[in-house]
Amino acid sequence: MEVAASAGLSAETLRKIETGRAPTPAFFTVSALAVALGLSLDEVAQTCVLVPLAPV
């Protein structure tokens, strides 16, 4: 996987993120993927879906 290698991640880590098995990747991981894909963190944030917290 070219994107994973470019971001300095293993293909398995990227696969886990893509399939939801790693639902909350670390900030460094998100940042590295953004750089590898030519995106700014602002662009990434604009496309994120906020999930409301469950009531306590």
Side-chain angles (χ1 to χ4, degrees):
M1 295 197 133
E2 191 174 317
V3 172
S6 180
L9 305 172
S10 70
E12 180 60 21
T13 297
L14 183 55
R15 197 171 299 115
K16 285 179 181 178
I17 293 168
E18 291 173 334
T19 60
R21 290 185 294 146
T24 53
F27 177 79
F28 170 80
T29 302
V30 174
S31 178
L33 285 170
V35 169
L37 294 169
L39 301 170
S40 71
L41 289 178
D42 286 335
E43 290 172 303
V44 173
Q46 289 172 355
T47 61
C48 289
V49 176
L50 296 177
V51 178
L53 296 174
V56 233

